[in-house]
Amino acid sequence: MRRCNKRVILAVAAAGVVAALPVAPAGAADPTKTALSFDVVVGPNDDTHCTITANLFTPPGASKANPVAAVMGTNGFGGSKSDFDTLGPSYAKHGYAFLAYSGLGFGNSGCKITLDDPDWDGKAGSQLLSFLGGTKAAKDGTKVDYIVKDAPGDPRAGMIGGSYGGQIQFAITGIDRRLDAIVPQITWNDLSYSLGPNNTDFLRGVTYRTPGVIKSDWPALFTALGLGQGFQQAVQNNDPSHLGACPNFSDQVCASLVTSGATGYPDDTTLALLRHASVASYISKIRIPTLLAQGQSDTLFDAQEAVATYNALRAQNTPVKMLWRSAGHSGGGIPGESNSANLESAYESRMELEWLDFYLRGLGDPPALDFSFLRDWVTYTGDAVTAVGATPSYPASANQTAYLSGADGLVDSRAAIKPGTASFAAAPNSSGSGNGYTTVPNVDAPGTFAAYSTPPLSADFDLVGIPKLTVRVDAPAFAQSQGQGPSGKLILFAKLYDVDAQGAATLPRNLLSATRVADVTKPVEIELPGIAHRFAKGHTMRLVIATSNATNRGNTVAGPVSIVADPANPNTLTLPKLGRQIGTSASGIAQFAGPAGGAPAQRAGLGGRPRGLRASWMSTNRGCVKRRSIRIRVIPRSGRNRAVAATISVNGRRVKTVRGRALRGFVRISNLPRRGVYRVLVTVRTAGGGRLGAARTYRAC
């Protein structure tokens, strides 16, 4: 553990060489909420008019003379602008104008669902940026002139939101360079992989060559949600834009859903449609700071999708940070992970606030461009930050290799491989049990799978990353039928269970990998789900390779399948094992050593444009604060930038306001939290009426 700091001093200087960006002090008046609607023109030919409904949350004191930065957000699939009725005011209380809007086809916004396609949803969002930039009016004539501008019509703006509201951030950024920073949560890289995954034969990222295996659960849910909202809005709002041959979906989307559901795989037209609506197709256009937050409990958009986006952004030197949080589309919500009402009280919402604060206002320390992950084996109370680990970059772990042995063994050395054969069968339209929405256990039908287990583990094994399986299969019927097209190819499902000492098996986060094998006569490389999971001492790892699963379409050809263990040509499973902990950050995140020779960390704050207040700290943020008080000094300057008052808040709560002569000396802040993490914000009001701020996050020890 690093030595604790006995005293923390913050010197705050109101710098006159940069623009003053308002920072709302804690305890300020509530923001105002204004309902608005907009006419937007979208489509490949810019010939379709749609209505967008929105709510604008404005912080007190925002004006043309005292402009603020802006944040936008839009809903996940099936939601609306009201999803931000808590988060929007929270950001407004922190000094941002927050524009929450309903995406096309949802929440009383017009037109149909187009899957966050840049030509439709991207163009709609871009025109809302024009509203924030002061060049577009709402339908009632409302215009805003209190948003900070980087150039005429170019607002200082970021965006936050999840799932459907995460991909839209990429869609807007891909066609409009005016966004400055984004926080896409639990979203996709390639929608063809999300809805019809194939965890082998990758062209790049998760974009595959051989058509994938269509899911049977999520597409059905989304279809029902979309159709239901379309009919409801058509009746309630007398809005016929949701109707037609394909109610509330574009005709292309409906045709693709029907075709994929019938065949069990996406055809070329469907692949083109889904990929056009995916950041994987235009990743080169994403150049602004991006914080990816992906859910570990997510059978819809898995960790592989975030890794694919992360790797592509890093390769082109786009500033990027990746978090594997607990909560996703399949549940996994935990206390202390995120709090929309009190952003500083939970690690993820605090991390996202710090991201936008730095990149939009130059407020706080440069964010570490690292890889963070939730360790669900760590107990905690309150803020879940103590359960979070981080490495400088992804991958976090060094690979260890296990070998398939005999008919059912996993051994740790090639010399220990025993010859043997595991035989099972594929049957048309067969399925196991379980579902992707929750953690209902998966159960494989006898005779449809092979299972390989390690001996009981002699020590805890912390797996963080994406395991990879290389296996040789013998499937003579599929060797004959695979030339007939995707329907004739072998489908396999790979899973890695945690089996306790009593024999009870748990599938971590209920995640599995679906694979359509391009050629069964060649070795098959399969990526298993990315997870952060501890296999405890005394437990065993069990690899299951099956031919059916309830959540995906299955094989259409019957035939025997066998896997032969041969020491001369071994089948392998690489397991990314987390390295040693090397310390703890000031925010309480456990720091781990990455793999030797791993990717170097990006420079913290890369891509940032620090603005506003200049702050000089005499302590680093790598340690922790032992005493329950800190000393702050505000350095007055002359003229309009002379400090006339300073407000100090801790975790969003105002604790002291200082004026006049007291600004000339040190200000002591006492009764700081005894434990956990807290963020100190200093807001300076200048003689010219501007507000400036400085912030830092600390860990009590």
Side-chain angles (χ1 to χ4, degrees):
M1 184 66 67
R2 296 181 182 271
R3 183 178 180 181
C4 294
N5 298 312
K6 295 182 181 298
R7 184 178 67 175
V8 180
I9 301 175
L10 166 63
V12 180
V17 295
V18 287
L21 296 185
V23 180
D30 289 337
T32 59
K33 177 181 178 180
T34 306
L36 299 169
S37 63
F38 301 88
D39 177 67
V40 295
V41 183
V42 297
N45 300 316
D46 297 319
D47 56 1
T48 302
H49 286 259
C50 304
T51 294
I52 292 285
T53 62
N55 290 325
L56 178 64
F57 301 93
T58 306
S63 66
K64 184 175 182 179
N66 197 31
V68 298
V71 177
M72 291 202 308
T74 189
N75 53 277
F77 200 95
S80 72
K81 64 184 186 299
S82 63
D83 295 351
F84 294 91
D85 280 353
T86 300
L87 187 67
S90 291
Y91 268 93
K93 290 177 182 178
H94 283 80
Y96 290 96
F98 195 102
L99 182 64
Y101 71 95
S102 297
L104 298 179
F106 300 107
N108 296 322
S109 285
C111 293
K112 295 186 176 184
I113 299 167
T114 55
L115 306 179
D116 275 342
D117 190 285
D119 285 339
W120 299 86
D121 299 275
K123 288 182 177 180
S126 174
Q127 289 165 69
L128 298 185
L129 275 177
S130 296
F131 167 73
L132 294 174
T135 60
K136 180 181 177 64
K139 281 189 173 183
D140 64 0
T142 298
K143 298 183 75 172
V144 295
D145 60 0
Y146 50 81
I147 307 300
V148 176
K149 296 181 180 62
D150 294 318
D154 181 0
R156 181 88 47 80
M159 198 163 183
I160 189 171
S163 191
Y164 203 77
Q167 189 69 197
I168 184 60
Q169 299 171 53
F170 293 127
I172 297 172
T173 305
I175 63 171
D176 193 330
R177 300 185 64 123
R178 292 178 295 173
L179 267 179
D180 295 292
I182 53 177
V183 184
Q185 306 158 326
I186 57 172
T187 195
W188 66 89
N189 172 267
D190 183 338
L191 195 54
S192 65
Y193 171 87
S194 312
L195 302 180
N198 193 13
N199 285 280
T200 189
D201 198 22
F202 289 120
L203 174 65
R204 62 181 183 279
V206 293
T207 299
Y208 48 68
R209 298 178 182 86
T210 302
V213 187
I214 289 295
K215 294 176 179 177
S216 56
D217 47 4
W218 289 110
L221 174 64
F222 290 143
T223 301
L225 280 174
L227 292 173
Q229 285 216 6
F231 286 120
Q232 180 182 2
Q233 292 178 105
V235 174
Q236 288 183 352
N237 304 332
N238 193 27
D239 182 358
S241 68
H242 299 281
L243 301 178
C246 181
N248 215 31
F249 289 94
S250 71
D251 292 348
Q252 297 91 332
V253 171
C254 268
S256 294
L257 288 171
V258 171
T259 301
S260 298
T263 63
Y265 61 87
D267 61 14
D268 289 344
T269 300
T270 298
L271 289 174
L273 172 74
L274 298 179
R275 288 171 178 170
H276 192 264
S278 301
V279 67
S281 299
Y282 53 86
I283 194 77
S284 63
K285 298 179 180 179
I286 310 302
R287 297 288 179 173
I288 61 173
T290 303
L291 169 53
L292 300 167
Q294 202 76 348
Q296 294 181 36
S297 293
D298 206 318
T299 60
L300 177 59
F301 306 134
D302 62 21
Q304 270 94 326
E305 302 229 44
V307 170
T309 303
Y310 171 89
N311 286 337
L313 292 177
R314 268 190 63 104
Q316 63 192 32
N317 210 32
T318 297
V320 59
K321 179 184 183 78
M322 180 168 65
L323 165 68
W324 287 5
R325 72 188 202 189
S326 180
H329 288 85
S330 304
I334 58 173
E337 183 157 61
S338 189
N339 190 326
S340 296
N342 186 351
L343 304 178
E344 290 95 345
S345 67
Y347 82 86
E348 183 191 353
S349 50
R350 181 174 59 248
M351 184 184 295
E352 292 160 350
L353 173 65
E354 291 169 343
W355 185 265
L356 293 173
D357 268 355
F358 179 79
Y359 286 111
L360 298 183
R361 302 192 294 190
L363 181 63
D365 293 310
L369 302 179
D370 58 9
F371 166 51
S372 301
F373 46 92
L374 191 283
R375 300 174 293 156
D376 60 5
W377 58 90
V378 176
T379 59
Y380 66 92
T381 57
D383 189 340
V385 68
T386 53
V388 179
T391 55
S393 61
Y394 181 89
S397 311
N399 286 331
Q400 293 192 9
T401 301
Y403 300 85
L404 278 63
S405 176
D408 58 4
L410 272 178
V411 296
D412 60 6
S413 72
R414 185 167 178 170
I417 298 174
K418 296 179 180 178
T421 301
S423 298
F424 51 107
N429 302 318
S430 62
S431 65
S433 65
N435 67 69
Y437 307 140
T438 63
T439 54
V440 174
N442 278 264
V443 179
D444 298 295
T448 65
F449 67 94
Y452 299 85
S453 298
T454 66
L457 299 174
S458 59
D460 294 339
F461 191 109
D462 296 341
L463 193 158
V464 178
I466 300 173
K468 295 182 181 180
L469 171 67
T470 300
V471 65
R472 293 164 177 81
V473 299
D474 183 19
F478 292 92
Q480 295 295 319
S481 64
Q482 64 188 12
Q484 301 171 9
S487 62
K489 297 183 184 296
L490 173 65
I491 293 174
L492 296 175
F493 300 92
K495 320 170 194 180
L496 187 63
Y497 286 90
D498 183 342
V499 184
D500 67 18
Q502 288 72 45
T506 301
L507 184 60
R509 308 281 181 163
N510 214 38
L511 298 172
L512 57 87
S513 286
T515 301
R516 190 183 299 272
V517 179
D519 187 347
V520 296
T521 66
K522 298 178 180 179
V524 185
E525 296 181 354
I526 301 173
E527 286 192 358
L528 273 72
I531 57 173
H533 181 78
R534 168 168 286 179
F535 293 84
K537 178 181 178 180
H539 288 207
T540 63
M541 298 181 186
R542 179 185 295 165
L543 170 70
V544 170
I545 304 169
T547 57
S548 63
N549 188 70
T551 59
N552 299 74
R553 292 292 301 274
N555 285 283
T556 58
V557 174
V561 180
S562 60
I563 298 174
V564 178
D566 179 2
N569 295 290
N571 301 307
T572 61
L573 176 65
T574 59
L575 301 165
K577 184 178 182 181
L578 186 64
R580 63 185 179 87
Q581 184 176 341
I582 57 175
T584 304
S585 72
S587 61
I589 295 177
Q591 305 290 302
F592 290 84
Q602 285 183 302
R603 179 169 55 85
L606 179 68
R609 293 177 288 171
R611 313 172 177 92
L613 192 68
R614 291 181 176 178
S616 173
W617 293 76
M618 296 181 65
S619 68
T620 68
N621 70 336
R622 293 176 294 177
C624 54
V625 180
K626 186 174 183 179
R627 293 188 175 180
R628 296 187 64 204
S629 65
I630 62 174
R631 296 176 71 195
I632 298 171
R633 187 179 183 188
V634 178
I635 303 176
R637 293 296 178 100
S638 61
R640 291 176 57 84
N641 288 305
R642 176 172 54 87
V644 297
T647 301
I648 299 99
S649 64
V650 178
N651 277 353
R653 182 177 64 86
R654 179 185 296 184
V655 296
K656 182 169 287 190
T657 299
V658 185
R659 298 181 178 86
R661 296 172 63 92
L663 291 170
R664 299 178 183 179
F666 286 99
V667 180
R668 181 178 293 277
I669 306 301
S670 302
N671 298 318
L672 292 170
R674 291 181 180 274
R675 60 180 62 88
V677 175
Y678 56 90
R679 191 173 192 235
V680 178
L681 172 67
V682 181
T683 305
V684 174
R685 183 164 57 85
T686 68
R691 283 198 182 97
L692 303 167
R696 176 158 282 175
T697 300
Y698 284 97
R699 173 172 55 92
C701 60

